[in-house]
Amino acid sequence: MAFEITAANKADNNHNLLKNLLKNLKGNCFGDKGYLTKLWEQLYEKGIKMITKTKKNMKNQLITLKEKYTLRKRAIIESVNDILISVFDVEHSRHRKPINAFTHMAATIVAYHFYPEKPRIFVPK
């Protein structure tokens, strides 16, 4: 698991941000069309396969049936964000000190780990 707290004006498909998030991970990384960057080859060499839907002007990419099914389940990520906002109140903005805001965010992430009803994906064999 990896996460990074950034300013609101920083795009999540930023090259440096993706490098930092994915530097110690291996396997598949699912994203939307905006994640198609020049980093694809660098990430593939490190053992990370970036899987996205194709744009209109792109060639189809060869992906397994399991990867295609999992790509359709990308909305699970948004449900995790919804749990963090609705159950754990991560969007609280009335902190008077920055250390309190960071403590609140860290506590939210720790509490999520102990949350028993995390979203899951069932992938048929």
Side-chain angles (χ1 to χ4, degrees):
M1 182 175 140
F3 70 93
E4 189 163 328
I5 298 170
T6 61
N9 63 351
K10 191 169 190 178
D12 58 350
N13 62 353
N14 184 309
H15 291 275
N16 293 329
L17 178 64
L18 285 175
K19 282 182 183 178
N20 288 338
L21 281 176
L22 302 174
K23 70 180 172 185
N24 295 324
L25 299 177
K26 300 251 185 262
N28 295 337
C29 178
F30 295 90
D32 58 3
K33 296 174 191 175
Y35 284 93
L36 294 171
T37 64
K38 296 175 184 174
L39 291 177
W40 191 89
E41 290 178 6
Q42 294 173 7
L43 294 174
Y44 192 77
E45 289 173 0
K46 291 182 179 182
I48 299 172
K49 185 176 181 184
M50 185 74 85
I51 301 171
T52 63
K53 291 184 178 180
T54 56
K55 293 183 180 181
K56 290 179 182 178
N57 60 350
M58 288 179 56
K59 294 179 184 176
N60 286 334
Q61 55 184 341
L62 294 175
I63 60 175
T64 65
L65 191 59
K66 181 179 178 182
E67 292 169 348
K68 188 172 185 172
Y69 184 81
T70 308
L71 182 61
R72 289 179 34 210
K73 299 293 182 182
R74 230 179 46 82
I76 298 282
I77 297 168
E78 297 302 324
S79 64
V80 171
N81 290 337
D82 183 52
I83 290 171
L84 291 174
I85 292 168
S86 63
V87 176
F88 298 109
D89 295 327
V90 76
E91 282 190 333
H92 181 70
S93 62
R94 294 190 178 164
H95 298 291
R96 296 176 190 231
K97 294 183 180 180
I99 190 70
N100 292 342
F102 286 113
T103 303
H104 181 79
M105 286 185 255
T108 300
I109 292 169
V110 170
Y112 178 76
H113 279 288
F114 292 105
Y115 189 64
E117 299 174 17
K118 294 183 189 82
R120 293 188 175 96
I121 299 174
F122 172 73
V123 179
K125 292 183 179 181

